[in-house]
Amino acid sequence: MASGGEQKVVLITGCSSGIGLRIAVLLARDELKRYHVIATMRDLRKKDRLVEAAGDTYGQTLTLLSLDVCSDDSVRKCIDSVKDRHIDILINNAGVGLLGPVESISMDEMKKVFETNFFGTVRMIKEVMPDMKKRRAGHIIVMSSVMGLQGVVFNDVYTASKFAIEGFCESMAVQLLKFNVKLSLIEPGPVHTEFETKMMEEVAKMEYPGADADTVRYFKDVYIPSSIDIFEALGQTPEDIAKCTKKVIESSRPRFRNLTNSLYTPIVAMKYADESGGLSVHTFYNLLFNFGSLMHITMSILKCLTCSCLRRRTISPD
């Protein structure tokens, strides 16, 4: 698998659907053919959607490999199968979500989230980074989240996994700079994917043993409807995130942090405006429990105001 002169080899994890699929296809379809995309997924039986979306780029500027980010052996085998183990751009996209009251979530479920979202990303970076450092060149992209910057109620474990990866990358970026290796975090807010829709539908029907009745009621009757409102009003598409990621890759001086949705900037800023942490905690508490109906109206207005023009403007990391 050659890098083809000026062509950069891009390896992407988690490409069976959603953001990973859209990034893979967008880069493979680059008009100047600047990228050779290695799209990876844990289960190659789920490749049909990617192959269909890739069209005539499949087998040309896009190839497919099996990769499970939770397995040392799988990661090593995948990277070993790349010519000279040469990867110019690593895009860590594979991730899993977890939603609900903590009391009803088992420790094993929590560990699985960290195994994919945190250790899976670290495993990929450990395997690819030494070669990049040796060559004094490379770009590591990590798909984080606004939840890596600001905690969100009932997303406790997912948020923790994203906070962990933010801290890891913030530390790594300093060292990598010395080796001319770039590291960038992509931080989407709500994204409309089948994964999110399916998860919302499933959690609304589930029972939550171990959690008290009030907590379950707050989760199902207050949090879930509010989340749906926010997704409908502020949500981006996987294509939006893919375009943002491509901009970061192609920037001569890529930013370390890249919020994809500028409508979320005030929410993140609020956290840093008050070092005690009280401002953001009490603001989110009031939004959820005291001003629920007001928030619903606000989100409905925002949905009307958020035209395609405004949405296009929110995807730029600049």
Side-chain angles (χ1 to χ4, degrees):
M1 199 175 291
S3 59
E6 292 300 308
Q7 214 173 38
K8 289 187 175 179
V9 177
V10 186
L11 188 137
I12 310 169
T13 66
C15 292
S16 61
S17 63
I19 294 169
L21 184 151
R22 294 323 320 176
I23 295 173
V25 171
L26 184 67
L27 295 180
R29 290 189 179 281
D30 180 64
E31 286 181 8
L32 301 175
K33 292 186 166 56
R34 288 172 290 182
Y35 308 106
H36 178 88
V37 177
I38 303 167
T40 73
M41 60 186 71
R42 186 172 55 183
D43 185 355
L44 289 179
R45 288 173 297 182
K46 294 182 178 178
K47 69 180 181 180
D48 293 353
R49 198 179 302 174
L50 173 65
V51 171
E52 185 183 344
D56 58 6
T57 67
Y58 182 62
Q60 300 297 319
T61 52
L62 184 143
T63 54
L64 191 56
L65 289 177
S66 170
L67 170 63
D68 178 2
V69 299
C70 297
S71 161
D72 290 352
D73 188 50
S74 175
V75 168
R76 197 172 301 110
K77 279 180 181 172
C78 179
I79 304 304
D80 281 346
S81 71
V82 177
K83 188 177 187 300
D84 300 327
R85 290 173 54 92
H86 181 112
I87 292 161
D88 296 293
I89 301 165
L90 169 65
I91 303 180
N92 296 283
N93 169 73
V96 293
L98 187 61
L99 190 57
V102 165
E103 302 96 315
S104 60
I105 299 171
S106 71
M107 293 306 294
D108 281 344
E109 286 177 286
M110 295 184 194
K111 286 175 183 176
K112 281 176 186 172
V113 170
F114 268 80
E115 190 57 56
T116 300
N117 295 0
F118 179 72
F119 291 110
T121 298
V122 172
R123 194 173 277 114
M124 292 302 303
I125 292 172
K126 271 173 63 73
E127 194 67 32
V128 169
M129 180 177 66
D131 175 63
M132 288 184 172
K133 286 168 76 173
K134 211 176 290 178
R135 288 187 288 111
R136 296 290 200 277
H139 196 170
I140 296 168
I141 306 273
V142 175
M143 196 59 61
S144 182
S145 167
V146 291
M147 289 193 213
L149 299 169
Q150 172 64 60
V152 175
V153 64
F154 293 120
N155 286 268
D156 320 78
V157 179
Y158 176 80
T159 292
S161 74
K162 292 299 183 181
F163 263 70
I165 206 63
E166 288 265 340
F168 177 83
C169 290
E170 198 171 283
S171 305
M172 284 299 315
V174 177
Q175 180 205 143
L176 290 176
L177 209 62
K178 190 67 180 169
F179 294 88
N180 196 39
V181 176
K182 301 161 191 166
L183 197 156
S184 300
L185 291 160
I186 311 293
E187 297 159 328
V191 181
H192 293 292
T193 65
E194 287 179 21
F195 163 76
E196 294 289 351
T197 307
K198 189 179 174 188
M199 186 166 69
M200 288 287 187
E201 288 172 356
E202 284 177 357
V203 295
K205 296 173 192 167
M206 285 168 64
E207 299 298 319
Y208 292 93
D212 59 275
D214 280 346
T215 299
V216 174
R217 190 174 74 251
Y218 295 144
F219 176 59
K220 288 189 175 184
D221 299 343
V222 181
Y223 172 77
I224 295 289
S226 296
S227 286
I228 291 167
D229 282 345
I230 290 167
F231 267 80
E232 288 181 356
L234 305 181
Q236 293 178 292
T237 66
E239 286 81 3
D240 291 333
I241 312 306
K243 286 174 188 173
C244 178
T245 304
K246 192 168 187 277
K247 281 186 179 183
V248 172
I249 288 169
E250 292 170 0
S251 170
S252 56
R253 296 183 65 187
R255 287 168 50 163
F256 172 61
R257 283 197 167 92
N258 299 274
L259 278 166
T260 67
N261 193 327
S262 60
L263 296 171
Y264 262 75
T265 306
I267 293 171
V268 175
M270 182 172 59
K271 178 176 178 174
Y272 298 102
D274 172 22
E275 63 182 22
S276 77
L279 179 62
S280 56
V281 169
H282 290 293
T283 299
F284 282 110
Y285 174 84
N286 284 321
L287 277 174
L288 193 63
F289 295 114
N290 293 338
F291 307 132
S293 57
L294 179 64
M295 192 168 86
H296 179 75
I297 294 164
T298 305
M299 287 300 140
S300 298
I301 293 167
L302 258 178
K303 193 161 58 175
C304 295
L305 293 175
T306 312
C307 61
S308 58
C309 171
L310 180 56
R311 285 181 188 276
R312 278 198 296 275
R313 286 171 55 200
T314 67
I315 65 167
S316 173
D318 302 325

